[in-house]
Amino acid sequence: MEAKIVFITGASSGIGEGCARKFASQGWNLILNARTVSKLEKLKSELEAEYGVKVCVLPFDVRDRKQAAAVLEALPETWRGIDVLINNAGLVIGVDKEFEGELDEWDIMIDTNIKALLAMTRLVVPGMVERGRGHVINIGSIAGDAAYPGGSVYCATKAAVKTLSDGLRIDLVDTPLRVTNIKPGMVETNFTVVRYRGDKQAADNFYKGIRPLTGDDIAETVYFAASAPAHIQIAEVLLMPTYQATGTISYKKKVE
Ligand code: 8X3
């Protein structure tokens, strides 16, 4: 049987990179997207050598929907049969109050977390419907379940990811396609450094006293959903560190 194809956005680090490694380790061919080509090329050489899979590198900014459409249009025939789309590209910038934040930063979050996810879905899902197979896995967040201080706009984008996942599942109900929303809690990746606008110390402090999840931990759950038998649709998964209870409540041991 032909190897399956997974398309991962934001694949150069964190959860996206974790998914690339996990799916490659299970023999899937990968289409990897991110903005930085060098990181993708490195991952490609590594995964092709280690697992004997094929990797197609597609560097573009998911916010640029014209470029996204052109790149997908130019995809060689052998790469068109995408089985799983992982809408992973996403970010949070800043921890400001809703009446004090930067509008330009909000635009970046809304454009990436919501509008780019929609654009990728719009570009990839019609082919899945035509082929009668496919799975869209959106990386949502615990942040989508309830707003928390300093997270207003980010939380709203992840609430949108939940609603868009539910809506897509409804719209695809008469097809064999599946839609999953994975909602991680605290995960230690570069994501938190970006949240603190590059302040690595602030990001490290955020995880002091608690063992956060890793991108690889999340990838295990993503793969579980993708590899479930065809009659099972994992609609939503909320996962977090053992010492976290909600988006705002966690137990952090005192460390000197
Ligand atoms: C990121 C998880 O806990 O920082 O989506 O909101 S959290």
Side-chain angles (χ1 to χ4, degrees):
M1 209 177 88
E2 283 275 297
K4 289 188 169 177
I5 299 173
V6 59
F7 188 139
I8 307 169
T9 67
S12 59
S13 65
I15 295 172
E17 182 182 353
C19 288
R21 289 182 194 288
K22 178 66 191 180
F23 280 75
S25 76
Q26 303 303 306
W28 289 53
N29 290 334
L30 317 170
I31 301 177
L32 301 182
N33 155 265
R35 280 174 301 177
T36 328
V37 68
S38 56
K39 286 192 196 165
L40 293 179
E41 288 293 354
K42 196 165 163 272
L43 200 53
K44 172 182 161 81
S45 329
E46 189 192 319
L47 297 178
E48 284 184 339
E50 193 162 345
Y51 300 111
V53 295
K54 293 193 191 94
V55 179
C56 170
V57 164
L58 288 189
F60 64 90
D61 186 334
V62 283
R63 290 175 298 168
D64 185 341
R65 68 166 78 127
K66 274 206 185 109
Q67 202 194 352
V71 167
L72 282 168
E73 186 68 28
L75 210 54
E77 194 55 41
T78 44
W79 285 102
R80 284 177 181 259
I82 298 162
D83 294 285
V84 173
L85 167 65
I86 305 179
N87 275 317
N88 164 72
L91 79 171
V92 54
I93 316 174
V95 287
D96 307 298
K97 292 181 191 290
E98 192 172 314
F99 60 91
E100 294 174 339
E102 299 289 335
L103 286 154
D104 289 344
E105 290 179 342
W106 295 349
D107 277 345
I108 296 173
M109 285 191 264
I110 292 166
D111 287 350
T112 311
N113 301 2
I114 305 177
K115 290 167 72 178
L117 175 141
L118 264 176
M120 292 307 299
T121 301
R122 180 68 184 84
L123 286 168
V124 173
V125 172
M128 290 178 164
V129 172
E130 225 168 82
R131 292 186 293 277
R133 66 187 161 83
H135 191 164
V136 177
I137 302 182
N138 290 330
I139 305 300
S141 171
I142 196 171
D145 285 358
Y148 53 66
S152 174
V153 174
Y154 175 67
C155 292
T157 66
K158 291 300 180 173
V161 171
K162 182 199 159 36
T163 305
L164 295 171
S165 305
D166 291 345
L168 183 63
R169 199 177 304 111
I170 291 166
D171 290 340
L172 292 170
V173 72
D174 57 351
T175 77
L177 273 64
R178 305 185 289 187
V179 181
T180 301
N181 181 22
I182 302 285
K183 307 190 300 184
M186 290 167 86
V187 183
E188 188 167 18
T189 65
N190 194 51
F191 177 90
T192 307
V193 181
V194 177
R195 164 175 270 161
Y196 289 107
R197 299 193 179 92
D199 185 343
K200 177 88 173 64
Q201 190 60 48
D204 289 347
N205 286 341
F206 183 73
Y207 298 115
K208 273 226 171 92
I210 189 165
R211 180 177 172 182
L213 302 181
T214 64
D216 292 339
D217 292 331
I218 308 303
E220 289 295 326
T221 301
V222 171
Y223 190 75
F224 177 77
S227 56
H231 68 292
I232 301 176
Q233 177 167 222
I234 312 279
E236 198 166 290
V237 182
L238 172 66
L239 69 164
M240 63 190 103
T242 301
Y243 287 95
Q244 181 175 11
T246 71
T248 47
I249 299 172
S250 58
Y251 172 72
K252 294 183 179 175
K253 288 197 183 112
K254 284 212 161 42
V255 279
E256 298 312 313

